[in-house]
Amino acid sequence: MSVRNLDKLFKPRSIALIGATPRSGALGAVVARNLRRAGFAGQLMFANPHHQTIEGLSVYPTVASLPQPPDLAVIVTPPETVLSLVSELAERGTRAAVIITAGFGELGEHGRVLQRAALDAAKPHLLRIVGPNCVGVMVPGIGLDATFSHLAASAGDIALVSQSGAMITAMLDWAVPRGIGFSHVVSLGDTADVDFGDMLDYFAADLQTRAVLLHAEGVTHGRKFISAARAASRLKPVLVLKAGRSSAGARAATSHTGVLAGADAVYDAAFRRAGMLRVATMAELFDAAETLALTQQQIGERLAILTNGGGAGVLATDALIAAGGQLASLSEETIDRLNRVLPATWSRGNPVDIIGDASGKRYGEALAALIGDPAAEAILVLNCPTALAEPDEAAAAVIDTIAATEPGGLRGRNVITAWLGEHSARAARQRFAKARIATYESPESAIAGLMHRLCHRRNQELLMETPPARLDAFRPDLAATRQVITSALAAGKSWLDPEEVGAILRAYGISIVADRIARDVDDAAVVAASIGFPVALKIHSRDITHKSDIGGVALGLEDTNRVRREANAMLERVRKARPEARLDGFVLQPMILRPSAVELLVGLVEDPVFGPLVAFGQGGLAVEVLRDSSLEFPPLNSLLARRLMARTRVWQLLQGYRGRPPTNIEAVVEVLIRLSQLATDHPEIRELDINPLLADTAGAIALDARLRIVPAQYPSSARLAIAPYPELLETSKQSRDGTAVRIRPLRPEDEPLLRDLAAHMSPEDLRLRFFTPVHGLSHVVAARLSQLDYDREMALLAEHNGTALGVAHFFADPDKLRAEYAIAVRSDWQGRGIGFLLMTRLIDLARQWSIGELVGEILRENNAMLQMCRELGFAITRDLGDPSIVLARKTLAMPQASGA
């Protein structure tokens, strides 16, 4: 993650266009024209050895001849020239470049070599590169248009980022006539250096950006992307349109789990876990842009619909309910008020159908009544063209009514519109755009727009949910598992034998039916008799994954004669279907008779970008036909495991139906959590398929499992998309009076401990910590403090016998140049060295992270904190912006350069 020098990209004081030309229609001419007409106030320089003036500006022959090194260079010259230009610019001090030129990685190995060479030249100087093969960059607020777009963006507060240049120009073509503006427009192109993660980090902190729209074709650094997206989504809406939803380009997979975990399902899981909103189509992305630009944060969910056509109201209602929305129930007072201003034939309910001849006056009076009803937490106004009334007159009345609403009367509530038709609605839509009121072309698109606001709020609530604490944290047998994997790899195995799979699952406390191996038909009969009847018989072959597909499974065998017959028949079927497969005998199991059990699929799958995921869904023979599954990233807790299950249709079966009792959900949750731990602990595991997992009131047991391993290429935690809980950081210390104190990283489950800590802090201690009088911690604040991204922040909890004594936290910027810290100690434990223990440990961890500087704000009168900081080597300086605050700074170690 790096935002280093992106200020030179988005806030340059000087720009040089390398390859400017006066030749009409040429790329260099179009970019030069756009740079000139945008009104950039800084210094603009053109470079081209073949011209002396372009667009009225002097042209310099070389980079060396430029009067000063530009903050930002825009390169439009042929690919072969780019390496030398980047090298020269970097050495002169340029720190950002937009390479619009195509002909690099997208054209094969030669292009990739040129691209890598340009990056290698840029990296030592921390010159950041956007592109190559991109449209360019716009920052309308400062008059920067370094693109070859046919239109310039208006200034606004939405950041638009796309890998596709065509999507950029299409969005601008749609947005300009609607008056929708952008804080930034960025075409990433081939993302050689600056990528989505960098952009999300930058725009999360940018005060001029209220929402972010992404169009992504692919992500190259999964963990970086999710970390940045999680941070940004907590602060502002992030919407994403992901191209390539089909599975045609997905990797080949051999297990049921792998087949179901197509590339698009993995991206779905990533966007969901990060709190982003995914849109399905380009039209929906446009609607989202309209919604985010022209509406405020939506508080409630209940919608009132005002329409002059009953059919349009029904369509809007259907779309709302299908999207999980809610109609408002109008109060009796509102019904009475509407009765006084509407014809007797109005609908007398929600949707409020005010009849096809509705005038502007009628629209205005009905809308005013709905605005006055607190139950109408959002309002959709529809208009269908008729010969009895003018759509433009109705639009004017709606605008006037909204304008006449008392200040604060619509706080947290939005009025959106949809004027149906084209010819008759055009003037009304232009009127709404001028008034900055969101307007859509259909009831369905209006509902979709509203739901973007609602879904963002719902996502924030989900991100703030606190999982229950696990009272009996399970400890797997890591040594036994490691022994099985090491031995299998030494033997050259990829797919493990059934007994090896069983040993691993049992080491993680996952019940699996016992397997017995038989060498041949006669041995199968002997083994079956020793197990006891009935038995299940399966072919044993390292080359066959789906045994049922070729007749390699026989169930409910009652005696040895039946076992012999089925074994001989099975050999014949399998040899005919798979003559090349190596047959190693048979696997026998006791029949598990649980008639009320639901067959489930659980497993692990590895994605090349995002690493391992946990899969859950409906199991059995028809798993690939039903395709009822969902994915989630490890690490899992019980809350995430339940959400994973609830996204499937089989979840309803687990609740019980038609006399079948509910399944023991907690047993399945525990299986998923332990699979998540298995993936976290062992980087060699690439695929695990448990199908079926039988689940009923008694619990869950695996009947069949397949597991594939490869030699590990990375440490366990490095391949995960989300950093796991850093258990190795747990330690024990002693307070000044000798009390044993445990210091460990915070978990999401610790929210109650944080709230209890605040409850035992005096009002004065809380004021000194939060700089304002507060009464304890709210759920939202405590949840945010305890739900950490261990890639960019750390919080340490000091506890004694399960009681929170204090907490210390730092949050690092993406480049780890600086981390802001804060600390709080329970009032009745102050003076016993708890704060000193926490800060000493926090400083040690900051050094391990290679953070350059720790910085904290302290109220001037907080003498105890200031004294501790001095003892720990912090420098105390004044905050020039606020005389009541001082800054405590401690220089640690300068971080390594990150990014190019």
Side-chain angles (χ1 to χ4, degrees):
M1 289 158 284
S2 180
V3 295
R4 190 88 60 87
N5 288 332
L6 292 185
D7 57 329
K8 304 298 184 184
L9 174 68
F10 294 127
K11 299 175 183 177
R13 292 168 298 180
S14 57
I15 303 173
L17 173 61
I18 315 300
T21 177
R23 182 162 51 88
S24 179
L27 178 60
V30 175
V31 177
R33 181 200 66 201
N34 286 353
L35 283 167
R36 290 281 283 163
R37 76 179 182 186
F40 178 65
Q43 184 176 10
L44 182 60
M45 299 169 280
F46 291 163
N48 189 319
H50 306 298
H51 302 282
Q52 294 184 334
T53 61
I54 297 173
E55 293 271 333
L57 287 181
S58 297
V59 179
Y60 301 92
T62 63
V63 167
S65 65
L66 293 173
Q68 67 179 63
D71 286 344
L72 171 63
V74 183
I75 301 175
V76 295
T77 59
E80 291 76 13
T81 66
V82 170
L83 171 58
S84 61
L85 290 172
V86 168
S87 298
E88 195 170 358
L89 286 163
E91 289 171 1
R92 285 206 64 188
T94 297
R95 292 297 174 260
V98 176
I99 303 178
I100 295 177
T101 306
F104 289 87
E106 74 277 10
L107 292 185
E109 184 57 31
H110 176 66
R112 285 191 287 273
V113 169
L114 291 176
Q115 183 169 296
R116 284 194 296 269
L119 281 176
D120 290 342
K123 186 171 290 187
H125 305 276
L126 294 175
L127 187 152
R128 306 307 306 277
I129 292 176
V130 173
N133 187 26
C134 68
V135 167
V137 171
M138 294 184 190
V139 187
I142 64 169
L144 170 58
D145 182 358
T147 74
F148 60 89
S149 171
H150 65 304
L151 289 174
S154 303
D157 54 14
I158 297 175
L160 173 64
V161 185
S162 174
Q163 286 171 301
S164 166
M167 277 295 300
I168 293 286
T169 54
M171 176 63 87
L172 294 177
D173 200 76
W174 172 88
V176 168
R178 288 166 171 79
I180 292 175
F182 298 90
S183 63
H184 304 76
V185 178
V186 184
S187 169
L188 291 178
D190 291 343
T191 60
D193 170 24
V194 175
D195 61 13
F196 285 114
D198 300 325
M199 292 293 90
L200 286 166
D201 274 326
Y202 184 87
F203 294 133
D206 181 51
L207 298 180
Q208 307 305 313
T209 298
R210 190 160 62 102
V212 183
L213 300 183
L214 305 181
H215 171 260
E217 295 172 357
V219 170
T220 52
H221 304 290
R223 181 155 167 167
K224 172 183 176 181
F225 174 81
I226 289 185
S227 180
R230 291 174 74 192
S233 294
R234 289 184 183 274
L235 301 174
K236 54 195 68 175
V238 180
L239 283 85
V240 57
L241 172 62
K242 170 64 176 66
R245 296 182 70 99
S246 70
S247 59
R251 69 193 179 284
T254 52
S255 73
H256 295 294
T257 309
V259 170
L260 294 175
D264 195 62
V266 174
Y267 275 100
D268 253 346
F271 299 150
R272 183 172 52 244
R273 186 71 172 265
M276 306 167 78
L277 301 176
R278 184 173 189 177
V279 298
T281 65
M282 189 170 174
E284 193 179 355
L285 188 66
F286 290 166
D287 290 338
E290 177 114 7
T291 305
L292 297 175
L294 303 179
T295 62
Q296 59 183 321
Q297 183 66 40
Q298 180 69 37
I299 303 285
E301 297 199 4
R302 296 173 294 177
L303 176 68
I305 300 171
L306 175 62
T307 179
N308 68 339
V314 171
L315 288 175
T317 301
D318 288 345
L320 178 71
I321 301 305
Q326 182 182 356
L327 275 178
S329 296
L330 303 181
S331 68
E332 289 298 326
E333 293 80 2
T334 301
I335 297 293
D336 290 342
R337 184 174 174 182
L338 290 170
N339 279 333
R340 292 194 295 271
V341 299
L342 297 181
T345 52
W346 81 279
S347 60
R348 286 182 169 75
N350 184 20
V352 179
D353 183 357
I354 59 176
I355 313 305
D357 64 348
S359 62
K361 181 175 181 293
R362 191 184 300 171
Y363 261 100
E365 291 175 335
L367 178 57
L370 294 178
I371 290 174
D373 190 339
E377 295 168 324
I379 301 170
L380 168 60
V381 185
L382 301 170
N383 179 271
C384 304
T386 75
L388 303 175
E390 285 295 326
D392 192 43
E393 177 193 341
V398 168
I399 294 169
D400 292 344
T401 302
I402 294 173
T405 302
E406 294 182 5
L410 282 170
R411 183 172 296 139
R413 304 159 71 200
N414 287 292
V415 179
I416 61 176
T417 65
W419 258 229
L420 279 60
E422 184 57 39
H423 173 74
S424 302
R426 188 175 299 125
R429 289 183 187 138
Q430 291 172 349
R431 189 183 288 272
F432 285 129
K434 186 176 181 181
R436 297 195 61 77
I437 295 173
T439 189
Y440 306 87
E441 296 183 359
S442 69
E444 295 86 353
S445 59
I447 294 297
L450 175 67
M451 292 307 296
H452 291 136
R453 275 291 181 202
L454 296 181
C455 287
H456 176 255
R457 184 178 60 76
R458 290 175 183 175
N459 280 358
Q460 299 312 298
E461 292 173 352
L462 288 173
L463 289 173
M464 291 295 112
E465 283 191 31
T466 302
R470 298 185 72 194
L471 300 178
D472 53 344
F474 175 76
R475 297 284 181 179
D477 190 340
L478 293 174
T481 307
R482 174 61 51 206
Q483 177 61 41
V484 172
I485 292 174
T486 301
S487 298
L489 287 174
K493 293 181 181 178
S494 176
W495 289 99
L496 300 191
D497 292 333
E499 57 269 32
E500 294 169 323
V501 178
I504 289 176
L505 293 182
R506 292 186 190 97
Y508 276 75
I510 298 172
S511 297
I512 182 170
V513 64
D515 289 323
R516 297 280 300 277
I517 305 299
R519 300 182 304 276
D520 51 34
V521 172
D522 290 336
D523 195 23
V526 172
V527 170
S530 67
I531 292 174
F533 297 100
V535 298
L537 178 73
K538 304 176 184 180
I539 198 70
H540 183 21
S541 172
R542 71 198 76 176
D543 300 321
I544 299 173
T545 301
H546 303 312
K547 297 180 284 290
S548 297
D549 293 350
I550 57 171
V553 177
L555 303 177
L557 307 184
E558 299 284 356
D559 54 50
T560 55
N561 290 332
R562 181 80 184 278
V563 169
R564 291 178 187 276
R565 287 198 304 271
E566 287 295 339
N568 282 311
M570 187 178 293
L571 287 174
E572 185 176 346
R573 290 192 300 268
V574 171
R575 285 169 176 158
K576 183 176 181 181
R578 294 286 304 275
E580 82 290 354
R582 291 166 291 181
L583 304 184
D584 302 314
F586 302 92
V587 177
L588 289 98
Q589 299 171 333
M591 285 294 297
I592 304 299
L593 302 176
R594 295 167 77 160
S596 296
V598 179
E599 289 189 334
L600 301 174
L601 164 76
V602 297
L604 301 173
V605 66
E606 187 88 5
D607 182 79
V609 175
F610 291 101
L613 295 98
V614 180
F616 171 84
Q618 188 162 355
L621 295 177
V623 59
E624 288 159 14
V625 176
L626 296 172
R627 302 195 72 83
D628 176 29
S629 65
S630 188
L631 299 172
E632 188 56 87
F633 290 98
L636 291 185
N637 54 41
S638 60
L639 190 62
L640 291 169
R642 280 179 167 270
R643 287 185 197 159
L644 168 62
M645 296 166 67
R647 288 193 294 269
T648 62
R649 298 187 300 275
V650 76
W651 169 255
Q652 298 301 323
L653 298 182
L654 299 178
Q655 312 309 308
Y657 64 99
R658 291 194 174 183
R660 290 196 176 192
T663 297
N664 184 341
I665 299 292
E666 290 307 315
V668 183
V669 165
E670 193 63 29
V671 169
L672 293 171
I673 291 174
R674 294 182 185 189
L675 288 181
S676 163
Q677 186 64 45
L678 180 64
T680 302
D681 292 339
H682 303 285
E684 298 88 354
I685 294 176
R686 284 295 182 270
E687 212 167 337
L688 169 62
D689 188 67
I690 300 177
N691 182 30
L693 178 78
L694 290 187
D696 58 15
T697 56
I701 184 170
L703 297 192
D704 197 10
R706 296 271 289 171
L707 193 152
R708 183 171 66 88
I709 58 173
V710 299
Q713 296 178 331
Y714 309 101
S716 293
S717 62
R719 62 193 249 282
L720 300 174
I722 297 173
Y725 175 76
E727 187 175 0
L728 293 177
L729 299 183
E730 295 181 354
T731 186
S732 294
K733 299 289 184 179
Q734 284 190 339
S735 66
R736 286 175 184 159
D737 60 6
T739 302
V741 177
R742 183 186 182 208
I743 296 179
R744 63 172 177 81
L746 272 178
R747 296 188 183 96
E749 296 90 335
D750 290 326
E751 185 212 337
L753 287 178
L754 286 185
R755 299 184 74 175
D756 180 72
L757 170 66
H760 287 84
M761 292 175 66
S762 69
E764 176 64 6
D765 285 340
L766 285 171
R767 184 188 71 83
L768 292 174
R769 166 61 181 86
F770 293 101
F771 294 19
T772 188
V774 297
H775 302 285
L777 289 183
S778 68
H779 159 68
V780 171
V781 173
R784 178 62 193 92
L785 291 174
S786 59
Q787 295 181 13
L788 306 180
D789 179 352
Y790 299 113
D791 274 330
R792 59 177 68 206
E793 60 186 319
M794 179 57 64
L796 296 175
L797 179 74
E799 61 179 350
H800 173 68
N801 292 338
T803 297
L805 310 180
V807 65
H809 176 271
F810 71 66
F811 187 92
D813 67 41
D815 292 300
K816 297 184 179 178
L817 294 174
R818 160 183 167 139
E820 297 184 5
Y821 80 89
I823 183 172
V825 176
R826 180 174 163 136
S827 296
D828 56 356
W829 275 76
Q830 290 181 11
R832 300 165 73 174
I834 302 302
F836 196 89
L837 287 176
L838 284 169
M839 281 303 301
T840 302
R841 181 64 172 150
L842 200 70
I843 292 167
D844 288 343
L845 293 179
R847 282 199 177 99
Q848 292 176 28
W849 283 30
S850 298
I851 288 173
E853 180 184 42
L854 272 180
V855 180
E857 294 184 342
I858 305 173
L859 286 176
R860 184 178 296 278
E861 64 268 30
N862 194 344
N863 293 318
M865 182 63 67
L866 289 171
Q867 178 60 31
M868 183 181 71
C869 287
R870 291 188 181 99
E871 292 175 9
L872 289 169
F874 283 78
I876 309 300
T877 60
R878 286 191 307 152
D879 183 342
L880 299 179
D882 189 338
S884 68
I885 295 174
V886 297
L887 298 179
R889 298 178 180 272
K890 184 175 180 66
T891 300
L892 302 174
M894 291 307 297
Q896 298 297 315
S898 61

